[in-house]
Amino acid sequence: MSRTGHIAVIGLGPGGAHQVTPEASAAVAAATWFYGYGPYVDRLELRPDQTKVASDNREEISRAQAALEKAAEGERVAVVSGGDPGVFAMAAAVCEAIEAGPAEWRDIEVTIVPGVTAMLAVAARAGAPLGHDFCAISLSDNLKPWETIEKRLNAAASAGFVIALYNPISKARPWQLGKAFELLAKILPVTTPVIFGRAAGRPDEKIVATPLGEADANQADMATCVIIGSAETRVIERGQQPALVYSPRFLKPGA
Amino acid sequence: MSRTGHIAVIGLGPGGAHQVTPEASAAVAAATWFYGYGPYVDRLELRPDQTKVASDNREEISRAQAALEKAAEGERVAVVSGGDPGVFAMAAAVCEAIEAGPAEWRDIEVTIVPGVTAMLAVAARAGAPLGHDFCAISLSDNLKPWETIEKRLNAAASAGFVIALYNPISKARPWQLGKAFELLAKILPVTTPVIFGRAAGRPDEKIVATPLGEADANQADMATCVIIGSAETRVIERGQQPALVYSPRFLKPGA
């Protein structure tokens, strides 16, 4: 029997230990080598026999390759992502690396462990803004042309989807979110609720709702998930209690 | 001080106990009254001092109202959803009921506990089909006109989104999924991977991938989440290991 290794691509959820599934915790306990973006591997409390290999934010493919090389040696390897590993995260990078890599990498056992992705955690804090049809778009034009992003924003808003934006802004991509708001304001009412959700479920959580007409890209940073409502999305003011932002399940004929 | 009640809308994840977050388990432990669709409340192992109120599938609003009435009495109430409560589930129904209900319901403390929604669990079993921009559409035309659904399917496929379909089929809605495949086959290559994911993470799990040109709506039932790739979505055949279906993060200019 050959020494077939194993790679688990694990979603650690939005940040708090209370949002890590037992399945993800068990997958962490079962692995020996851990690959991931620094802040994600830093969340792990590992045993002395477990080794962390942290890497930088934009090195997904080389990280996936390093993890697969280690798994091909017969080791039990974990690649960790924040949120869900299948949403703008490491699961696709590992698949890309396998497809382009040496034939023996196809023999590696692959397990992907889902997690609570950022938009779900942010939505839960705000109410139910993803209550009807919605989409998730990465605003990063490192991986696709900006024209494609504009086309998708236009299509989604025009067809009535709520839009969750991942990777909204970074030092290297300072103008894209402002441009997205500008474009969406031509399609959606200026009163459309926009939610800036940062660190949902963590001690430094910050969730802010604002009308699209007043949305300022500077309210976001790299760790923010931005949810833009549809024309149907509503705000319930509640006096003492925080407002609830929600998208009704119902859509009347003709709307 | 008034006896302000509390309502927690809790996502129990796709089905297995290993995919319920500690936060959701703690919220279940803290509540006294439980409202939900029968199969979801049946997942709960409750103490003698905790009471289940199960209701039928299509009674979301009356269920939300009953839960809010109980919370307004000062009780700690839980409304449970499978998956994530904010995705085609009870969080929006509770918001709708609060908005339309008596003023005192706005004083009720509301907590929404996110969970792993079906598309994430199904995607994890298949590879990384949601690896680039994607959308989630409920195929139920009970709550919105079929024309809206067609418009959204067209817009999403034309703009290159991967599409996750919730509520794809039921006895009362037998033709909608077949119609959706027909419509999408006019836009997407017949080779586009389609994943039928049922009971992901449960003992009776069934995940099947098939090309769009051969997708048969009868492969789905009420509990299936159907993921339809984009033109970019790929399949990696792996001999001994199961194939991986994934959507690459990269999109070349002009694609």
Side-chain angles (χ1 to χ4, degrees):
Chain A
M1 215 178 116
S2 70
R3 268 178 84 210
T4 304
H6 179 269
I7 191 166
V9 192
I10 305 173
L12 297 177
H18 60 302
Q19 292 181 330
V20 180
T21 66
E23 182 184 32
S25 298
V28 168
T32 309
W33 290 86
F34 293 83
Y35 292 80
Y37 173 46
Y40 300 144
V41 294
D42 284 347
R43 283 200 214 159
L44 304 168
E45 290 179 28
L46 299 181
R47 302 183 304 262
D49 65 309
Q50 294 178 312
T51 306
K52 292 180 189 181
V53 185
S55 45
D56 198 32
N57 197 14
R58 287 177 58 182
E59 298 178 358
E60 287 92 351
I61 277 292
S62 55
R63 180 190 305 143
Q65 289 165 338
L68 287 160
E69 270 167 27
K70 186 57 78 180
E73 293 171 14
E75 299 284 352
R76 290 194 70 90
V77 172
V79 176
V80 294
S81 282
D84 178 86
V87 176
F88 309 119
M90 287 302 296
V94 167
C95 290
E96 288 165 27
I98 290 172
E99 190 171 28
E104 59 263 31
W105 285 4
R106 299 192 182 210
D107 298 332
I108 296 169
E109 202 185 329
V110 178
T111 307
I112 296 164
V113 179
V116 174
T117 184
M119 67 180 164
L120 302 184
V122 168
R125 289 305 197 184
L130 306 177
H132 69 46
D133 300 333
F134 64 93
C135 66
I137 299 176
S138 168
L139 215 59
S140 170
D141 54 357
N142 294 331
L143 299 173
K144 61 190 176 227
W146 176 252
E147 299 67 44
T148 300
I149 298 174
E150 287 205 347
K151 183 174 81 173
R152 290 181 183 169
L153 290 168
N154 267 314
S158 303
F161 288 94
V162 173
I163 299 171
L165 296 178
Y166 283 70
N167 308 315
I169 201 161
S170 73
K171 276 182 194 160
R173 297 182 290 102
W175 55 264
Q176 286 81 346
L177 181 59
K179 185 84 182 165
F181 286 148
E182 206 177 286
L183 183 159
L184 293 171
K186 291 180 189 154
I187 303 170
L188 296 167
V190 291
T191 53
T192 305
V194 174
I195 300 155
F196 293 86
R198 194 181 180 290
R202 295 200 294 264
D204 54 336
E205 169 178 302
K206 195 175 172 195
I207 311 285
V208 176
T210 188
L212 178 56
E214 294 164 30
D216 175 359
N218 295 314
Q219 293 172 271
D221 68 8
M222 254 182 70
T224 305
C225 179
V226 180
I227 299 178
I228 298 136
S230 72
E232 309 295 319
T233 304
R234 306 175 59 78
V235 179
I236 312 174
E237 297 296 346
R238 296 194 301 153
Q240 307 279 14
Q241 298 286 347
L244 291 168
V245 182
Y246 84 100
S247 301
R249 301 163 308 141
F250 289 90
L251 184 67
K252 291 175 198 76
Chain B
M1 214 178 118
S2 71
R3 267 177 85 211
T4 304
H6 179 269
I7 191 166
V9 192
I10 305 172
L12 297 177
H18 59 301
Q19 292 182 329
V20 180
T21 65
E23 182 183 33
S25 298
V28 168
T32 309
W33 291 85
F34 293 82
Y35 292 79
Y37 172 46
Y40 300 144
V41 294
D42 284 347
R43 284 200 214 159
L44 304 168
E45 289 180 26
L46 299 182
R47 300 183 306 262
D49 64 309
Q50 294 177 311
T51 305
K52 293 180 186 179
V53 185
S55 45
D56 198 32
N57 197 14
R58 288 176 59 181
E59 297 179 357
E60 286 92 351
I61 278 292
S62 54
R63 181 190 305 145
Q65 288 166 337
L68 287 160
E69 271 167 26
K70 186 57 78 179
E73 293 170 13
E75 299 284 353
R76 289 194 71 90
V77 172
V79 175
V80 294
S81 281
D84 179 85
V87 176
F88 309 120
M90 288 302 296
V94 167
C95 290
E96 289 165 26
I98 290 172
E99 190 171 28
E104 60 263 32
W105 285 4
R106 299 192 182 208
D107 298 332
I108 296 169
E109 202 184 328
V110 177
T111 308
I112 295 164
V113 179
V116 174
T117 184
M119 67 180 164
L120 303 183
V122 169
R125 289 304 197 184
L130 306 178
H132 68 47
D133 300 333
F134 64 93
C135 67
I137 299 177
S138 169
L139 214 59
S140 170
D141 54 357
N142 294 331
L143 299 173
K144 60 190 177 230
W146 177 252
E147 299 67 46
T148 301
I149 298 174
E150 287 205 347
K151 183 174 81 173
R152 291 181 183 168
L153 289 168
N154 267 313
S158 303
F161 288 95
V162 173
I163 299 171
L165 296 178
Y166 283 70
N167 308 316
I169 201 162
S170 74
K171 276 182 194 161
R173 296 181 291 100
W175 56 263
Q176 285 82 344
L177 181 58
K179 185 84 181 165
F181 286 147
E182 205 177 288
L183 183 159
L184 293 171
K186 291 180 188 152
I187 303 169
L188 296 167
V190 290
T191 53
T192 305
V194 174
I195 299 155
F196 293 86
R198 194 180 181 289
R202 295 200 294 265
D204 54 335
E205 170 178 302
K206 195 174 172 194
I207 311 286
V208 175
T210 189
L212 177 56
E214 294 164 30
D216 175 359
N218 295 314
Q219 292 172 272
D221 68 9
M222 255 183 71
T224 305
C225 180
V226 180
I227 299 178
I228 298 137
S230 73
E232 308 296 318
T233 305
R234 305 176 60 77
V235 180
I236 311 174
E237 296 296 346
R238 296 195 300 153
Q240 306 280 14
Q241 298 286 347
L244 292 168
V245 181
Y246 84 100
S247 301
R249 300 163 308 141
F250 288 90
L251 184 67
K252 291 175 198 75

